[in-house]
């Protein structure tokens, strides 16, 4: 899908109206991402990210699968934007779409979302962290799986070790459990599975890689898989009718580490996921899992699988407190300084950055990269002012508005000419049921409340009622573009 009529066509090589050659800028962005993130990370997520065009400050990027899209949106959007901006200052926003699906794209936009009373396709876009549903086994994913081999696992990042992991109050328990599991010798498994959960950027993947490195050093056979690798691998194995061999090989390992299991979707894959976990645990093999939510809230998974996942040790990593942020930042700065001796950041600036960036470790890392870019490009020392401007957008993007369930109920009620108490009531007439379901859906996607909590806030309903409403509206939005636009508009109104 084109952003609008002004988007550069392919034979212009991404060059658009102004003087900037966005095609070359994009090539430099990719080179920088490769250099900064390392070959493995780059190959996993960015190799197939392409620039489709630039229009009105918005760079339109595309990937072949919805999984990649949602992954990049939830993990790397700010980073890609920051890097692109550094190469071409006209870029104010980026959006990510899926190539060649023909489906209406609902991309996330990062940058300056409130563009006044804009109209046209861009006006409908909104920033959201809600991952798009995962499309399993599209043709291109299938090719990818064939090329990658199904059980090679996802490579471990050499930087993400226990020794580079900074321990603080919010992650001490998770770290202790991870170390014990990694260093465990002898028969059986410890807490099985070990289930870590936390919001984005709080160190789950870092700990999982740490476990992987340490266990491998101790001579154990480890497979680390991201959800997509699990899905591609399994789908591929089914296709080539080697499901048995796949499972046999899985069972032949000592430690299986699965990252971001909330992305595991699709009926047959879920079932296989359940069998695999059961087989491993029953055979006394250690399983470690990370997710962005507790096992009870993995709505896509079967109840039995959820309870199995919650049957070992479940540990949450909570928000990083200031002391921990300062330590992580100092450690990152020291690591960067080792490679760039001229790069010096005063303790005062470091403290400022750690205070300003409260969201997560990923943004702290982003901030260090910004400071470094600034220092190397200008050749000057980092002052408070330069630090402030270098990280300004990280600070702004960080705190999405907190939306209250009550506000959602009020807005939806007024939009549909019913009262808020109608929405909370037992009434089941169509005029009330639909707004109620929309309000439940919006509560799920716009707040961090769990399904049972949302049920309580809607007149004491059961969580299954909420789940039903969420699924129903998701389905309707997919089928009915008018309703889709309507819900989109409600979202924007709540987010503004
Ligand atoms: P998650 O998987 O929870 O989204 P990551 O493990 O990818 O988060 O962490 C994001 C970034 O923050 C990584 O660069 C990671 O190294 C860093 N980070 C997070 N927590 C810590 C920590 N306690 N010590 C050192 N680095 C951390
Ligand atoms: Mg992660």
């Amino acid at each position: 899908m084109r952003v609008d009529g002004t988007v550069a066509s392919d034979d212009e090589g991404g060059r658009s109206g102004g003087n900037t050659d966005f095609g070359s800028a994009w090539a430099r962005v990719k080179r920088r991402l490769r250099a900064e993130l390392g070959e493995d990370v780059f190959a996993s997520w960015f190799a197939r990210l392409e620039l489709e065009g630039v229009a009105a400050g918005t760079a339109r990027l595309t990937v072949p699968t919805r999984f990649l899209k949602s992954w990049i949106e939830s993990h790397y959007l700010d980073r890609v934007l920051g890097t692109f901006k550094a190469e071409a200052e006209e870029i104010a926003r980026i959006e990510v779409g899926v190539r060649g699906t023909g489906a209406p794209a609902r991309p996330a936009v990062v940058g300056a979302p409130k563009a006044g009373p804009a109209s046209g396709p861009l006006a409908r876009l909104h920033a959201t962290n809600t991952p798009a549903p995962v499309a399993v086994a599209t043709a291109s994913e299938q090719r990818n799986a064939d090329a990658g081999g199904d059980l090679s696992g996802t490579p471990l990042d050499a930087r993400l070790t226990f020794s580079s992991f900074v321990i603080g109050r919010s992650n001490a328990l998770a770290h202790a459990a991870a170390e014990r599991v990694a260093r465990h010798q002898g028969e059986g498994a410890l807490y099985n599975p070990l289930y870590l959960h936390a919001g984005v950027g709080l160190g789950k993947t870092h700990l999982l890689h740490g476990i992987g490195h340490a266990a491998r050093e101790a001579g154990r056979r480890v497979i680390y898989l991201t959800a997509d690798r699990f899905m591609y691998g399994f789908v591929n194995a089914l296709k080539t009718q080697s499901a048995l061999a796949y499972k046999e090989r899985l069972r032949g390992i000592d430690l299986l580490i699965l990252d971001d299991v909330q992305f595991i979707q699709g009926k047959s894959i879920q079932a296989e996921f359940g069998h695999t976990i059961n087989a491993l645990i029953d055979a006394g093999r250690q399983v470690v899992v990370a997710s962005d939510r507790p096992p009870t809230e993995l709505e896509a998974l079967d109840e039995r699988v959820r309870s199995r996942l919650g049957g070992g040790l479940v540990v949450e990593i909570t928000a990083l407190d200031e002391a921990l942020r300062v330590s992580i930042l100092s450690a990152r700065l020291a690591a960067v300084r080792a490679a760039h001796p001229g790069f010096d950041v005063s303790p005062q600036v470091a403290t400022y950055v750690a205070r300003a960036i409260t969201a997560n470790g990923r943004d702290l890392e982003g901030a260090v990269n910004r400071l470094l870019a600034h220092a190397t490009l200008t050749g000057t020392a980092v002052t408070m002012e330069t630090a402030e401007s270098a990280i300004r957008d990280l600070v702004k993007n960080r705190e999405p508005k907190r939306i209250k369930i009550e506000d959602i109920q009020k807005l939806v009620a007024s939009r549909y000419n019913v009262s808020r108490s109608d929405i909370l009531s037992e009434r089941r007439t169509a005029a009330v049921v639909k707004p109620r379901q929309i309000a439940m859906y919006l509560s799920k996607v716009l707040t961090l409340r769990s399904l049972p909590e949302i049920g309580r806030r809607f007149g004491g309903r059961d969580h299954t009622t909420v789940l039903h409403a969420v699924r129903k509206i998701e389905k309707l939005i997919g089928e009915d573009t008018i309703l889709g636009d309507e819900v989109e508009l409600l979202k924007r109104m709540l987010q503004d």
Side-chain angles (χ1 to χ4, degrees), residues 266-280:
K267 269 232 163 320
S268 63
I269 300 231
Q270 281 163 33
E272 248 358 284
F273 174 69
H275 295 324
T276 307
I277 299 273
N278 285 335
L280 284 165

Side-chain angles (χ1 to χ4, degrees), residues 71 74-76 79 157 159-168 170-171 197-209 224 259-260 290-291 317 320 324 327-329 331-332 360-366:
W71 191 273
S74 58
H75 292 78
Y76 293 106
R79 177 151 203 159
D157 184 331
R159 291 183 317 156
L160 303 179
T161 60
F162 281 146
S163 51
S164 64
F165 190 81
V166 183
I167 303 162
S170 73
N171 60 26
H197 68 100
V200 165
L202 298 183
K204 300 181 294 296
T205 296
H206 193 143
L207 269 184
L208 294 189
H209 284 236
Y224 168 81
D259 205 350
D260 287 313
S291 172
I317 303 175
L320 311 173
L324 183 53
S327 315
I328 292 177
L329 190 68
R332 288 292 307 157
N360 64 51
R362 188 163 296 129
D363 285 353
L364 283 175
E365 191 177 311

Side-chain angles (χ1 to χ4, degrees), residues 7-322:
V7 171
S9 68
D10 289 340
D11 49 17
E12 288 172 310
R15 188 186 290 272
S16 90
N19 298 323
T20 306
D21 179 350
F22 291 112
S24 334
W26 176 241
R28 290 194 299 277
V29 169
K30 287 189 93 169
R31 278 201 296 277
R32 276 180 60 172
L33 290 172
R34 186 193 293 264
E36 288 170 10
L37 297 166
E39 192 57 47
D40 289 341
V41 173
F42 182 85
S44 302
W45 308 117
F46 299 101
R48 292 178 290 164
L49 181 63
E50 286 168 15
L51 175 67
E52 188 180 273
V54 175
T58 298
R60 163 91 180 161
L61 306 174
T62 62
V63 285
T65 68
R66 296 179 79 173
F67 182 83
L68 276 174
K69 166 179 150 64
S70 83
W71 191 273
I72 290 171
E73 283 173 359
S74 58
H75 292 78
Y76 293 106
L77 214 51
D78 288 337
R79 177 151 203 159
V80 175
L81 175 65
T83 312
F84 209 160
K85 252 188 188 159
E87 292 294 341
E89 58 186 8
E90 299 93 322
I91 303 296
R93 288 167 300 273
I94 54 177
E95 56 172 68
V96 183
V98 180
R99 280 196 285 282
T101 53
R106 294 187 175 279
V109 176
V110 69
K114 287 168 222 164
S119 61
L122 281 178
R124 298 218 323 270
L125 304 177
H126 62 100
T128 171
N129 287 325
T130 312
V134 176
V136 172
T138 63
S140 56
E141 283 166 346
Q142 196 54 53
R143 273 195 301 281
N144 185 49
D146 293 342
D150 61 312
L151 253 190
S152 46
T154 314
L156 295 178
D157 184 331
R159 291 183 317 156
L160 303 179
T161 60
F162 281 146
S163 51
S164 64
F165 190 81
V166 183
I167 303 162
R169 214 173 18 173
S170 73
N171 60 26
L173 189 58
H175 172 264
E179 280 237 334
R180 288 208 55 188
V181 160
R183 309 209 191 280
H184 179 67
Q185 297 286 354
E187 281 306 293
L190 289 170
Y191 342 99
N192 215 4
L194 170 61
Y195 187 107
L196 304 177
H197 68 100
V200 165
L202 298 183
K204 300 181 294 296
T205 296
H206 193 143
L207 269 184
L208 294 189
H209 284 236
I211 295 173
H213 288 301
R216 262 184 204 162
E217 277 157 25
R220 292 161 74 193
R221 291 163 302 175
V222 178
I223 287 195
Y224 168 81
L225 292 168
T226 54
D228 70 317
R229 185 67 81 139
F230 183 86
M231 294 191 291
Y232 296 160
F234 190 73
V235 169
N236 186 44
L238 274 188
K239 270 262 184 283
T240 55
Q241 296 179 359
S242 60
L244 197 63
Y246 174 90
K247 277 187 256 180
E248 283 308 309
R249 279 186 65 187
L250 269 187
R251 288 174 188 143
I253 62 175
D254 299 319
L255 173 57
L256 178 71
I257 307 176
L258 277 168
D259 205 350
D260 287 313
V261 293
Q262 73 274 10
F263 284 120
I264 290 184
Q265 302 200 16
K267 269 232 163 320
S268 63
I269 300 231
Q270 281 163 33
E272 248 358 284
F273 174 69
H275 295 324
T276 307
I277 299 273
N278 285 335
L280 284 165
I281 295 177
D282 292 344
R285 304 303 156 82
Q286 180 71 53
V287 175
V288 181
V289 167
S291 172
D292 68 351
R293 64 199 76 179
T296 46
E297 290 180 20
L298 289 169
E299 288 115 22
L301 292 181
D302 188 84
E303 173 59 38
R304 277 164 308 178
V305 179
R306 272 184 268 165
S307 78
R308 190 93 212 222
L309 285 174
L313 178 66
V314 178
V315 187
E316 181 175 10
I317 303 175
T318 53
L320 311 173
D321 56 57
E322 189 174 315

Side-chain angles (χ1 to χ4, degrees), residues 410-476:
K410 282 185 190 155
L411 179 73
V412 173
S414 77
R415 177 73 192 79
Y416 289 93
N417 290 323
V418 296
S419 69
R420 181 164 168 252
S421 52
D422 286 333
I423 288 197
L424 304 186
S425 75
E426 297 286 314
R427 289 183 54 205
R428 298 174 61 87
T429 53
V432 176
V433 169
K434 191 162 162 197
R436 182 184 294 138
Q437 289 181 329
I438 291 177
M440 286 180 177
Y441 166 81
L442 289 171
S443 301
K444 183 67 195 133
V445 298
L446 296 178
T447 75
L448 293 172
R449 302 273 168 242
S450 66
L451 294 172
E453 172 71 15
I454 294 171
R456 275 196 292 282
R457 308 282 291 273
F458 279 77
R461 289 180 155 78
D462 192 69
H463 76 276
T464 53
T465 309
V466 183
L467 182 58
H468 172 74
V470 171
R471 296 221 168 115
K472 175 96 180 282
I473 299 299
E474 265 169 2
K475 181 160 171 282
L476 286 178

